[in-house]
Amino acid sequence: MLTDIQKQAQDKMDKAIRVLKQDLLTLRAGRANPAILDKVTVDYYGTETPLNQMANISTPDPRTLSIQAWDKSALAEIERAILKAELGLTPNNDGNVIRISIPALTEQRRGELVKIARKTGEEAKVAIRNIRRDANDEVKKLEKNGEIPEDDARRGQEDIQKLTDRLIKEVDQIVSDKEKEIMEV
């Protein structure tokens, strides 16, 4: 029972780390990365459709994204969706392909992106701590119901705390790496 609680907590915490990594991928770090368009959805025949499900997104060079829609009639809608997403990017539509030049980041924009990265990291830490709290509550409930002895409950809570501490350090490292990437010139 105790190992089940610890395993569930670890799985949920690992998912929080995966979500953090995915969210940080969408932050623009001065070079073209198709992941920055992952959250863009396009109104395609009345349905909000993720851009990456209706077009091929590639990086022909380090400062350019190229979007080739499978349905050329959707190019205008794709262009509109990119502008609406407020990514600070300006799409150029030539009728066949949409090209987006990734401008060099200003010092001010870099600072804003670092703040966003830290905020995202803090949200991941909060999620991990909430998972720890829930797991500890489960352990206390088992102890209270007499299903496990007090020593096992204490040991279980210590293990959950060690796991939490390790993953909080991992979050800090991931955010730190992203900050370095953003601040690169």
Side-chain angles (χ1 to χ4, degrees), residues 12-156:
K12 289 177 182 176
M13 288 179 185
D14 288 343
K15 184 172 188 250
I17 298 275
R18 281 194 306 276
V19 168
L20 169 68
K21 287 178 179 176
Q22 189 62 41
D23 286 349
L24 290 180
L25 262 182
T26 63
L27 284 182
R28 187 161 64 92
R31 59 179 162 264
N33 180 351
I36 65 176
L37 298 174
D38 280 355
K39 292 187 176 169
V40 175
T41 58
V42 181
D43 183 14
Y44 188 60
Y45 294 109
T47 305
E48 287 295 316
T49 308
L51 175 58
N52 56 13
Q53 290 183 12
M54 55 187 296
N56 184 27
I57 304 169
S58 60
T59 52
D61 64 65
R63 291 252 181 239
T64 309
L65 284 174
S66 176
I67 303 166
Q68 190 148 22
W70 296 314
D71 178 2
K72 293 208 187 316
S73 67
L75 283 174
E77 283 298 326
I78 291 172
E79 193 175 6
R80 215 169 292 130
I82 293 168
L83 289 169
K84 195 173 87 178
E86 295 179 0
L87 297 170
L89 303 173
T90 309
N92 294 322
N93 182 352
D94 69 6
N96 292 320
V97 175
I98 294 176
R99 285 185 183 76
I100 301 173
S101 291
I102 307 292
L105 294 172
T106 63
E107 203 57 42
Q108 179 184 358
R109 183 65 179 146
R110 287 178 197 275
E112 290 170 8
L113 289 174
V114 165
K115 283 181 187 170
I116 292 170
R118 287 180 182 157
K119 180 177 177 274
T120 305
E122 197 51 47
E123 289 168 358
K125 288 182 193 179
V126 168
I128 289 170
R129 289 181 189 122
N130 286 341
I131 294 164
R132 173 192 61 195
R133 184 196 62 224
D134 294 345
N136 282 339
D137 289 348
E138 290 287 321
V139 170
K140 287 175 189 168
K141 196 184 302 177
L142 288 177
E143 180 190 355
K144 185 179 173 207
N145 293 341
E147 296 177 45
I148 60 171
E150 186 180 329
D151 287 352
D152 288 352
R154 190 173 30 75
R155 223 179 342 268

